[in-house]
């Protein structure tokens, strides 16, 4: 077996493990250029069970069938944000990770890029907990309660009491809407209250928000702009008027 064949076998192993991953991430994991990965994927796409979609995202064909073009575009935006967010994670951090698709994507990137980090992770999201629990040096705490299907988060008044007594180096939170006036908004009032407490108990609050959410509103406000230290969003947000208003606050805007 030559080196090319060995690399292609490793690519298939990674895709089967992660279900979807970007071409650039594959290149970084295997230490080769994205052009080399593209050549390998062209071969694998013809003979294996994979598909390459919008933004260079590689899927198993079974998972690809469940995604619309719009969902694939949004997934690429969330992946870019997640890769940047992982740069904020440091060894021995105590972190909170919220729920929703961006936080789940963040957990997947964290698993692949920071595998040897010692971390204490608290989350209310079942899928996040399941993903980061595969990391060998991580202690995971899943807050209990009633399940919100839309973002796989569990919430309860009991979890509110628990979170009041926990402290975090960093919190990584997604949202359904973000405006200068209302701040970051969420699907559920109790979930919004949890985010407020998490922010109060965190040394650094990092909001992961794809540009489609900026200017939109949701049911419950959890974080005011002044509660947030960093907003990671896509470069497509740079011309959005609402983001220009948010910039007037003491918050770092990290465009990807």
């Amino acid at each position: 077996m030559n080196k090319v064949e060995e690399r292609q076998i490793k690519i298939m192993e990674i895709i089967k493990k992660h279900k979807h991953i970007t071409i650039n991430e594959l290149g970084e994991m295997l230490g080769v250029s994205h052009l080399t990965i593209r050549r390998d994927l062209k071969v694998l796409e013809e003979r294996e069970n994979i598909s390459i979609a919008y933004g260079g995202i590689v899927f198993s064909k079974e998972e690809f069938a469940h995604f619309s073009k719009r969902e694939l575009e949004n997934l690429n935006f969330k992946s870019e944000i997640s890769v940047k967010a992982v740069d904020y994670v440091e060894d021995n951090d105590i972190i909170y990770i919220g729920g929703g698709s961006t936080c789940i994507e963040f957990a997947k990137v964290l698993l692949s890029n920071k595998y040897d980090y010692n971390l204490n992770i608290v989350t209310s999201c079942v899928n996040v907990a399941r993903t980061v629990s595969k990391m060998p040096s991580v202690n995971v705490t899943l807050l209990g309660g009633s399940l919100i299907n839309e973002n796989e988060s569990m919430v309860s008044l009991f979890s509110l009491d628990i979170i009041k007594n926990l402290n975090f180096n960093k919190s990584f939170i997604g949202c359904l809407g973000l405006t200068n006036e209302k701040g970051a908004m969420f699907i559920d009032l109790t979930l919004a209250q949890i985010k407020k407490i998490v922010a109060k108990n965190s040394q650094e609050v990092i909001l992961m928000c794809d540009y489609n959410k900026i200017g939109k509103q949701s049911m419950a406000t959890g974080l005011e702009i002044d509660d947030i230290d960093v907003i990671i969003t896509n470069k497509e947000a740079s011309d959005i008027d609402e983001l220009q208003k948010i910039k007037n606050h003491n918050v770092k805007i990290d465009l990807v």
Side-chain angles (χ1 to χ4, degrees):
M1 184 182 299
N2 60 40
K3 289 184 178 180
V4 173
E5 292 171 331
E6 290 178 354
R7 187 174 61 246
Q8 290 173 357
I9 289 173
K10 288 181 181 178
I11 289 172
M12 287 307 303
E13 289 174 349
I14 292 170
I15 294 170
K16 289 175 182 177
K17 178 180 179 181
H18 294 273
K19 303 302 182 185
H20 65 265
I21 191 167
T22 68
I23 289 173
N24 286 340
E25 287 169 346
L26 280 169
E28 290 176 3
M29 293 173 73
L30 296 174
V32 296
S33 71
H34 72 277
L35 293 176
T36 298
I37 294 295
R38 283 187 182 276
R39 285 195 294 268
D40 288 339
L41 289 173
K42 186 175 181 180
V43 174
L44 292 171
E45 195 172 20
E46 293 177 355
R47 74 173 192 231
E48 299 283 357
N49 194 29
I50 66 168
S51 292
I52 304 173
Y54 178 91
I57 302 172
V58 187
F59 287 82
S60 64
K61 284 186 178 176
E62 290 85 353
E63 183 170 351
F64 176 74
H66 297 297
F67 282 83
S68 67
K69 182 173 184 285
R70 175 68 173 174
E71 288 172 323
L72 288 171
E73 290 173 352
N74 286 341
L75 182 59
N76 190 53
F77 296 141
K78 296 175 196 298
S79 178
E80 292 171 345
I81 290 168
S82 299
V83 170
K84 173 57 68 174
V86 167
D87 288 343
Y88 288 85
V89 178
E90 298 177 288
D91 196 19
N92 296 313
D93 269 348
I94 303 170
I95 67 177
Y96 173 88
I97 304 175
S101 56
T102 304
C103 289
I104 292 170
E105 186 66 20
F106 169 73
K108 292 177 181 178
V109 176
L110 184 63
L111 171 64
S112 62
N113 289 4
K114 301 294 184 183
Y115 205 74
D116 294 327
Y117 272 22
N118 293 297
L119 299 171
N120 280 286
I121 295 177
V122 178
T123 183
S124 53
C125 179
V126 177
N127 207 333
V128 167
R130 184 184 299 118
T131 299
V132 296
S133 66
K134 298 173 185 176
M135 300 171 70
S137 303
V138 169
N139 179 60
V140 182
T141 300
L142 175 63
L143 300 176
S146 300
L147 182 66
I148 301 174
N149 287 325
E150 286 85 350
N151 69 355
E152 297 195 11
S153 290
M154 302 181 74
V155 297
S156 68
L157 295 178
F158 179 65
S159 59
L160 272 174
D161 289 335
I162 293 175
I163 208 78
K164 289 176 183 177
N165 298 307
L166 299 178
N167 299 303
F168 308 102
N169 299 110
K170 291 150 190 148
S171 57
F172 295 87
I173 299 171
C175 67
L176 288 180
L178 178 69
T179 68
N180 180 59
E181 182 180 356
K182 298 290 185 179
M185 289 160 279
F186 306 90
I187 196 170
D188 175 86
L189 182 58
T190 305
L191 190 62
Q193 290 176 313
I194 288 175
K195 298 299 192 291
K196 186 73 173 179
I197 296 170
V198 166
K200 181 180 179 182
N201 293 351
S202 297
Q203 294 176 1
E204 190 171 24
V205 177
I206 299 159
L207 185 74
M208 303 180 295
C209 177
D210 70 76
Y211 82 100
N212 294 297
K213 307 289 179 59
I214 299 173
K216 292 186 177 180
Q217 295 195 22
S218 188
M219 178 178 176
T221 294
L223 303 177
E224 297 179 5
I225 299 301
D226 290 336
D227 294 323
I228 303 166
D229 297 293
V230 180
I231 296 173
I232 305 177
T233 189
N234 315 99
K235 60 182 181 295
E236 286 82 358
S238 58
D239 295 328
I240 298 176
D241 290 341
E242 198 68 26
L243 187 64
Q244 303 307 315
K245 297 175 184 177
I246 291 170
K247 282 182 177 180
N248 293 328
H249 296 259
N250 187 26
V251 55
K252 176 182 176 181
I253 307 296
D254 205 341
L255 298 175
V256 295

